[in-house]
């Protein structure tokens, strides 16, 4: 965000409306602050038409975001601050919010208050008032307050706090005009400096007065920069960040004495004294202005939670919900993904080839476009339906309030491996596809949790690895296919637990995340907001992953087709690379260039492993029988009808998802040749070692990109890549050599 | 007695908060203060964390944190 500071504070003579003078209203910068989950982002979206992420759980917004819009010909910048319960410097969000407010001095702060939680929200309001900046309150979630039968004395609140209070319903865009009017009014006609000051009890005020006196006398430059009363409180509270920034030290005996006296008088520590003082003010205010109905109804949220968080039903319901989401995601997206693959590999490639022929491009460009670019784009497109379906369910879970419950139910289990309850969802998603799972770590609040979760996600065996297992299991363990397959998944989970324990004690030593979380009431997200936020999440994937994957696919194509004129895959760069690294895999039982090349290409995507093996092992004896290529109209018709089919299938899958399904290991005709080929080059033992290696080494290039995107650096992917390689090699080594020792294989 | 000793449905009044550092601060900022009444609502299916009502909202915290909060039972 680049704001011209001169633009921000041109108004040095408060009494004059610069707008009128210059015939142009100056732009305004408004900071939106408030408790987590109070509706700040929703309010900004409503005002500015933006699509900032919202969700019904605390901690959605963790970085400061900005949005601009124009109201009555006037530019307005809104700054969405992370939700905070206080302005102490203990969490990242609090620091971000406080630094912005203190240093950037926005024209007006909009304090978004959740009226159904008035007392706790006022605790923050009181601290915002200490800053002495112009403040307007948006009394949000007013609809739920009315529904509960609350009566709020708005006028009384305005009088007691000395600020404008505007009831709003951000989700329904109610009260926005009034809010904007109040804000511009305050910005254009700043009140004289005699802002109403809410006073705490006598002991605190007199101690603060001593400190303030000391600051004004000995550090006048600080008195210029910071609101003095606020600075005095922070100093008394021993706020490390502020003390460091300002260099204030308790060198004045009078100051030390005043604070000591305060502590003695209250027989408590300074933090509690201040928190108590602010909360009792908040409690007093709440009692004055908010009347709740005598008889409290049992709310829907409580009724739902009685079942959902029930001692015995809680876990089954959670697992059931996850299973359903997982199943629906993949069932709904599968027909569409298949359709997309069919279109890009069939007509798509044909048209591209035809186009190139039309343009008289050399042969290799045709291959680059069809086998490199089109295949690459295809491999991204395949993820599109699954990502969108997944994001839809996640958006729903977030919007409804169940996300917080899922964290509550699973926290115990996850905590034992150093994670937070919320980490369970990405882990589970990982079984479908690691890519959305990595993106789902976004729901975690701090980098430590996100990173640890993202490091463990790849151990969840994703759908793309399944074809590899199926081919090898079909070739060697057909009689015990189910058991062997199951053992692979369990192996992954077991290693995730083990690695979690190891990481907890090494890379991630130190404080495990605290779990002090508000459980918000359930809310029904509107269809519109579901769609918007699903799209926003998916779009992110589409754009970035699309560009990277394209580059990687082109690279792989070159590796497979260079140097110029190679006819044997073995002689291509990839083949040579395979030969070069083959010795590394020798102790694992599959040290052939074919296996190595397949594993290398598998770095891009695991689906490619089987494909590459197919190409390498199976001589293209039976060149595809050349049928007359279909015409353009035939192609279009085919695409249309197959899309209709796909849509119908994904719709019917929604229902069939509820029926138990069995895993199909039905064999693909085309793979029969591959099967015999690998039976010759692998033994059952080396095949199992190979399967485990595929389970454990880097999942795919898209995961790398997703991790880069989520963490903003390659660091975590680097760590993940390194440990997965080591783990994969070690496990395969132990299994293969151990197996040989005991006489298997 | 500490907060984790209360069973679902039981109420208590906080008499002391033993936690230190950021956790203490976070608890206090969320209204967990000496003299405040709490009611234990639920224990998670796996035995941890717990859910309490405080200042008329629902808060969940781990037993480890709850153990640091001393309460006296209230009828
Ligand atoms: N009923 C009702 N719900 C609202 C209102 N405003 C926001 N919500 C809901 O409250 C939840 C939280 O909204 P957000 O905008 O994400 O809250 P936030 O303040 O940005 O939260 P953090 O980013 O976590 O600090 C969402 O489920 C919104 O749909 C309102 O006026 N009425
Ligand atoms: Mg937000």
């Amino acid at each position: 965000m680049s704001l011209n500071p001169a633009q921000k504070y041109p108004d040095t003579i408060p009494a004059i409306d610069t707008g009128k003078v210059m015939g142009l209203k100056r732009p305004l910068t408004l900071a939106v602050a408030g408790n987590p989950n109070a509706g700040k982002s929703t309010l900004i979206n409503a005002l500015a038409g933006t699509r900032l992420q919202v969700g019904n759980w605390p901690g959605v917004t963790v970085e400061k975001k900005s949005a601009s819009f124009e109201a009555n010909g006037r530019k307005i910048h809104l700054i969405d601050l992370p939700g905070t319960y206080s302005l102490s410097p203990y969490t990242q969000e609090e620091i971000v919010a406080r630094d912005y407010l203190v240093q950037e001095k926005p024209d007006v702060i909009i304090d978004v208050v959740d009226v159904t939680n008035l007392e706790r929200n006022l605790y923050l309001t009181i601290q915002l008032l200490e800053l002495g900046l112009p403040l307007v309150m948006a009394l949000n979630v007013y609809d739920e307050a009315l529904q509960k039968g609350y009566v709020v004395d708005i006028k009384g609140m305005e009088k007691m706090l000395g600020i404008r209070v505007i009831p709003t319903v951000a989700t329904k865009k109610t009260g926005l005009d009034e809010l904007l009017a109040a804000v511009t009014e305050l910005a254009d006609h700043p009140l004289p400096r005699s802002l109403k000051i809410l006073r705490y009890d006598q002991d605190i005020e007199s101690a603060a007065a001593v400190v303030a006196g000391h600051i004004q006398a000995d550090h006048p430059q600080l008195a210029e920069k910071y609101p003095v009363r606020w600075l005095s409180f922070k100093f008394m509270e021993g706020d490390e960040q502020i003390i460091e920034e300002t260099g204030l030290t308790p060198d004045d005996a009078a100051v030390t004495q005043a604070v000591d006296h305060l502590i003695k008088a209250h027989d408590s520590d300074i933090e509690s004294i201040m928190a108590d003082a602010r909360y009792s003010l908040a409690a007093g205010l709440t009692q004055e202005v908010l009347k709740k109905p005598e008889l409290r109804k049992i709310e829907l949220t409580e009724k739902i939670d009685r079942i959902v968080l029930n001692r015995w039903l809680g876990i089954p319901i959670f697992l059931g919900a996850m299973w359903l989401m997982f199943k629906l995601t993949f069932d709904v997206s599968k027909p569409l993904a298949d359709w997309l693959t069919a279109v890009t590999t069939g007509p798509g490639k044909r048209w591209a080839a035809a186009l190139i022929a039309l343009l008289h491009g050399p042969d290799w460009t045709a291959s680059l476009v069809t086998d490199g670019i089109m295949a690459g784009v295809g491999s991204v497109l395949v993820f599109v339906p699954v990502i969108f379906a997944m994001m839809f369910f996640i958006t729903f879970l977030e919007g409804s309030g169940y996300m917080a419950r899922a964290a509550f139910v699973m926290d115990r289990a996850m905590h034992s491996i150093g994670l937070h309850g919320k980490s369970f969802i990405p882990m589970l998603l990982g079984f479908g596809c690691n890519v959305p799972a990595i993106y789902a770590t976004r729901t975690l609040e701090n980098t430590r949790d996100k990173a640890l979760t993202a490091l463990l996600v790849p151990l969840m065996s994703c759908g793309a690895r399944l074809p590899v297992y199926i081919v090898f299991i079909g070739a060697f363990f057909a009689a015990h296919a189910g058991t062997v397959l199951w053992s692979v998944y369990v192996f992954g989970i077991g290693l995730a637990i083990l690695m979690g324990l190891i990481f907890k004690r090494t890379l991630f030593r130190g404080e495990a995340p605290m779990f002090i979380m508000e459980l918000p009431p359930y809310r029904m997200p509107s269809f519109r907001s579901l769609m918007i936020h699903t799209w926003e999440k998916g779009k992110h994937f589409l754009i970035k992953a699309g560009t990277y994957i394209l580059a990687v696919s082109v690279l792989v194509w070159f590796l497979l087709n260079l140097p110029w004129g190679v006819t044997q895959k073995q002689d291509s760069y990839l083949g040579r690379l395979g030969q070069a690294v083959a010795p590394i895999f020798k102790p694992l039982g599959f040290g052939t260039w074919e296996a190595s090349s397949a594993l290398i290409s598998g770095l891009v995507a695991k689906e490619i492993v089987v494909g590459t093996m197919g190409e390498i092992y199976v001589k293209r004896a039976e060149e595809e029988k050349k049928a007359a290529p279909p015409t353009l109209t035939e192609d279009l018709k085919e695409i249309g009808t197959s899309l209709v089919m796909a849509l119908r299938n994904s719709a019917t899958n929604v229902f069939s998802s509820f029926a138990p399904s069995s895993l199909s290991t039905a064999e693909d005709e085309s793979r029969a040749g591959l099967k015999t080929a690998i039976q010759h080059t692998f033994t059952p033992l080396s095949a199992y070692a190979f399967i485990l290696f595929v389970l454990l080494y880097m999942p795919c290039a898209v995961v790398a990109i997703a991790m880069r995107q989520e963490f903003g650096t390659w660091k975590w992917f680097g760590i993940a890549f390194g440990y997965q390689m080591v783990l994969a090699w070690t496990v395969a080594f132990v299994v293969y050599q151990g197996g040989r020792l005991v006489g298997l294989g | 007695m500490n907060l984790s000793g209360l069973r679902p449905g039981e109420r208590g009044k906080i008499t002391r908060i033993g936690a230190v550092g950021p956790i203490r601060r976070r608890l206090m900022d969320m209204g967990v203060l000496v003299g405040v009444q709490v009611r234990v609502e639920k224990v998670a299916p796996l035995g941890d964390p717990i859910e309490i009502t405080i200042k008329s909202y629902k808060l969940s915290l781990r037993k480890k944190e709850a153990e640091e909060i001393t309460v006296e039972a209230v009828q």
Side-chain angles (χ1 to χ4, degrees):
Chain A
M1 200 194 52
S2 63
L3 286 174
N4 179 352
Q7 227 177 9
K8 249 174 64 194
Y9 326 107
D11 187 356
T12 44
I13 315 157
I16 301 172
D17 186 343
T18 36
K20 275 184 203 137
V21 175
M22 306 190 304
L24 175 94
K25 290 174 178 165
R26 72 187 169 110
L28 292 180
T29 303
L30 313 175
V32 180
N35 271 196
N37 214 45
K40 299 176 293 302
S41 304
T42 313
L43 185 74
I44 291 179
N45 287 344
L47 281 169
T50 44
R51 295 168 167 195
L52 299 173
Q53 204 195 347
V54 302
N56 189 18
W57 47 277
V60 179
T61 309
V62 288
E63 300 155 335
K64 155 183 107 199
K65 293 266 161 70
S66 63
S68 302
F69 70 109
E70 231 166 75
N72 309 322
R74 174 177 220 165
K75 197 126 182 85
I76 296 185
H77 301 286
L78 292 165
I79 311 294
D80 189 8
L81 295 173
T84 62
Y85 295 106
S86 142
L87 292 182
S88 55
Y90 282 101
T91 62
Q92 197 53 42
E93 300 91 82
E94 285 168 348
I95 294 173
V96 171
R98 186 172 93 174
D99 280 355
Y100 182 81
L101 294 176
V102 176
Q103 281 157 20
E104 309 283 323
K105 298 205 175 66
D107 293 309
V108 176
I109 303 174
I110 299 179
D111 175 21
V112 181
V113 163
D114 176 355
V115 63
T116 63
N117 226 324
L118 192 58
E119 184 178 337
R120 201 196 62 211
N121 278 256
L122 283 177
Y123 176 76
L124 179 70
T125 305
I126 288 166
Q127 295 184 57
L128 291 172
L129 285 170
E130 283 173 11
L131 287 173
L133 292 170
L135 190 74
V136 170
M137 182 188 292
L139 198 62
N140 199 31
V141 202
Y142 207 71
D143 52 337
E144 284 183 13
L146 293 179
Q147 215 175 13
K148 285 173 194 254
Y150 288 10
V151 181
V152 192
D153 175 9
I154 309 269
K155 281 269 151 335
M157 228 168 142
E158 290 191 324
K159 221 158 114 208
M160 277 183 256
L161 293 169
I163 55 171
R164 292 297 316 278
V165 175
I166 317 290
T168 58
V169 183
T171 38
K172 302 207 177 75
K173 305 195 182 195
T174 331
L176 302 188
D177 292 341
E178 292 86 337
L179 182 65
L180 269 183
V183 168
T184 36
E185 168 75 20
L186 183 58
D188 291 339
H189 306 281
L191 299 168
R193 275 288 106 186
S194 65
L195 255 177
K196 190 175 167 104
I197 291 174
L198 294 170
R199 298 205 178 276
Y200 305 123
D201 71 36
Q202 199 47 53
D203 296 326
I204 296 176
E205 289 299 339
S206 40
V210 173
V211 180
H214 165 69
I215 294 172
Q216 262 153 347
D218 296 356
H219 304 275
Q221 78 290 356
L222 291 179
E224 289 273 299
K225 195 167 165 219
Y226 296 92
V228 175
R229 185 165 176 264
W230 179 78
L231 189 58
S232 312
F233 285 136
K234 289 294 133 186
F235 178 69
M236 282 159 61
E237 286 173 279
D239 185 310
E240 281 165 26
Q241 200 205 1
I242 286 295
I243 290 175
E244 197 179 309
E245 258 174 48
T246 58
L248 269 181
T249 41
D251 45 14
D252 195 318
V255 170
T256 333
Q257 213 181 346
V259 177
D260 282 349
H261 175 76
L262 175 62
I263 293 173
K264 229 171 265 143
H266 282 253
D267 188 25
S268 179
D269 58 298
I270 191 76
E271 286 188 327
S272 314
I273 295 170
M274 292 307 298
D276 265 332
R278 294 185 180 118
Y279 255 113
S280 34
L281 207 56
L285 276 165
T286 308
Q287 205 154 41
E288 289 280 320
V289 301
L290 181 71
K291 296 280 168 286
K292 293 183 182 180
E294 292 276 309
L295 260 178
R296 200 174 141 276
K297 285 184 293 197
I298 295 184
E299 281 159 23
L300 183 63
T301 294
E302 283 170 299
K303 287 186 197 156
I304 298 175
D305 274 345
R306 266 184 210 169
I307 302 163
V308 163
L309 300 182
N310 178 282
R311 205 70 226 246
W312 309 113
L313 294 177
I315 299 250
I317 288 177
F318 170 72
L319 292 177
M322 290 299 117
W323 178 81
L324 197 64
M325 156 168 135
F326 181 66
K327 194 87 175 47
L328 279 174
T329 299
F330 292 98
D331 287 355
V332 169
S333 60
K334 181 113 195 333
L336 291 170
D338 290 348
W339 175 78
L340 280 168
T341 320
V343 171
T344 46
T345 53
K349 276 191 182 177
R350 271 201 302 279
W351 295 346
L355 195 67
I356 287 166
L358 211 67
L359 299 171
H360 303 292
D363 274 357
W364 68 269
T365 49
S367 167
L368 171 63
V369 169
T370 55
D371 300 337
I373 297 175
M374 296 288 290
V377 171
S379 71
V380 178
L381 282 181
V382 176
F383 286 113
V384 169
V386 86
I387 296 268
F388 276 88
M390 177 119 298
M391 291 312 173
F392 177 83
F393 290 116
I394 295 203
T395 307
F396 180 78
L397 284 182
E398 285 182 344
S400 65
Y402 188 70
M403 197 67 109
R405 271 76 185 179
F408 180 74
V409 168
M410 288 314 290
D411 184 65
R412 179 65 232 284
M414 300 314 285
H415 186 49
S416 62
I417 53 170
L419 289 172
H420 191 277
K422 275 193 253 173
S423 299
F424 191 81
I425 290 166
M427 301 283 266
L428 196 89
L429 297 181
F431 284 112
C433 176
N434 285 187
V435 176
I438 298 287
Y439 286 118
T441 61
R442 201 175 302 167
T443 60
L444 295 162
E445 281 149 53
N446 61 54
T447 319
R448 179 201 177 275
D449 294 5
K450 278 182 70 165
L452 183 50
T453 310
L455 286 184
L456 298 180
V457 157
L459 299 175
M460 305 298 118
S461 185
C462 69
R465 290 170 235 186
L466 196 57
V468 186
Y469 307 155
I470 289 176
V471 168
F472 278 80
I473 290 173
F476 293 101
F477 311 103
H480 308 283
T483 320
V484 174
L485 192 60
W486 178 82
S487 78
V488 176
Y489 280 81
V490 171
F491 209 98
I493 297 168
L495 277 177
I497 295 171
L498 184 72
M499 290 313 296
L501 291 173
I502 292 175
F503 282 138
K504 191 171 99 173
R505 282 174 182 70
T506 53
L507 265 179
F508 296 92
R509 219 166 325 143
E511 239 356 76
M514 59 177 161
F515 187 90
I516 299 174
M517 184 182 67
E518 178 189 359
L519 293 175
Y522 288 105
R523 291 184 172 127
M524 191 64 200
S526 74
F527 183 74
R528 206 183 110 79
S529 92
L530 267 180
M531 285 303 147
I532 288 176
H533 295 292
T534 303
W535 169 247
E536 283 301 307
K537 291 187 181 108
K539 192 176 79 181
H540 187 70
F541 164 80
L542 267 187
I543 298 169
K544 297 269 179 63
T547 48
Y548 280 104
I549 265 290
L550 203 63
V552 176
S553 324
V554 171
L555 180 73
V556 167
W557 181 87
F558 276 111
L559 284 178
L560 257 172
N561 289 280
L562 287 179
W564 285 116
V566 283
T567 43
Q568 295 289 321
K569 289 266 185 296
Q570 189 173 0
D571 299 328
S572 70
Y573 284 142
L574 185 62
R576 291 191 207 167
L577 201 58
Q579 285 169 39
V581 300
I584 300 175
F585 299 118
K586 188 117 188 113
L588 315 183
F590 42 86
T592 59
W593 75 266
E594 293 98 331
S596 313
S597 303
L599 287 176
I600 292 170
S601 68
L603 291 173
V604 179
K606 289 288 166 69
E607 293 95 329
I608 302 180
V609 172
V610 173
T612 313
M613 290 190 119
E615 280 196 41
I616 294 173
Y617 281 120
V618 187
K619 302 269 166 352
R620 291 241 171 141
E622 345 98 47
E623 269 285 312
E624 288 161 49
K625 295 205 182 64
K626 291 256 157 71
T631 65
L632 186 64
T633 29
E634 278 170 357
D635 266 347
L636 288 175
K637 228 169 94 188
E638 171 62 21
I639 292 174
T641 44
S642 59
L643 175 62
V644 172
M645 283 277 287
L647 287 172
R648 210 176 56 202
N649 284 346
S650 65
T652 47
N653 277 356
V654 171
F655 302 102
S656 58
S657 278
F658 293 90
S661 69
S662 63
L663 200 131
S664 140
T665 47
E667 235 172 83
D668 200 328
E669 285 285 318
S670 61
R671 286 184 188 151
L674 176 59
K675 200 171 111 178
T676 33
I678 59 177
Q679 273 167 344
H680 288 299
T681 42
F682 285 84
T683 66
L685 187 61
S686 69
Y688 196 65
F690 188 83
I691 288 178
L692 291 181
F693 193 89
V694 169
L695 163 71
L696 298 173
Y697 85 117
M698 174 186 158
C700 69
V702 193
V703 164
I705 289 146
M707 283 184 80
R708 164 67 234 261
Q709 262 186 295
E710 283 305 293
F711 295 104
T713 105
W714 287 106
K715 175 182 163 198
W716 293 109
F717 171 70
I719 293 174
F721 180 80
Y723 105 81
Q724 284 157 18
M725 282 300 174
V726 171
L727 191 67
W729 195 90
T730 315
V731 166
F733 179 82
V734 169
V735 166
Y736 182 68
Q737 297 297 345
R740 289 220 312 188
L741 273 183
V742 300
L744 294 170
Chain B
M1 186 171 46
N2 66 52
L3 184 56
S4 79
L6 291 181
R7 273 187 309 228
E10 291 182 344
R11 284 166 205 279
K13 197 169 119 194
I14 300 174
T15 55
R16 202 182 80 89
I17 298 166
V20 288
I23 293 186
R24 175 191 179 82
R25 189 62 203 228
R26 168 55 73 91
L27 285 172
M28 292 195 311
D29 286 338
M30 295 189 82
V32 182
L33 294 165
V34 170
V36 173
Q37 274 217 17
V38 296
R39 183 187 134 104
V40 172
E41 296 294 334
K42 284 184 193 67
V43 177
L46 296 174
D48 197 21
I50 62 171
E51 180 194 352
I52 62 173
T53 300
I54 188 160
K55 305 242 178 227
S56 72
Y57 76 94
K58 306 269 187 277
L59 180 69
S60 62
L61 69 168
R62 293 203 180 115
K63 282 199 164 159
K64 185 165 152 276
E65 271 83 61
E67 275 161 11
E68 306 267 341
I69 300 169
T70 318
V71 294
E72 63 189 33
V74 174
Q75 283 334 293

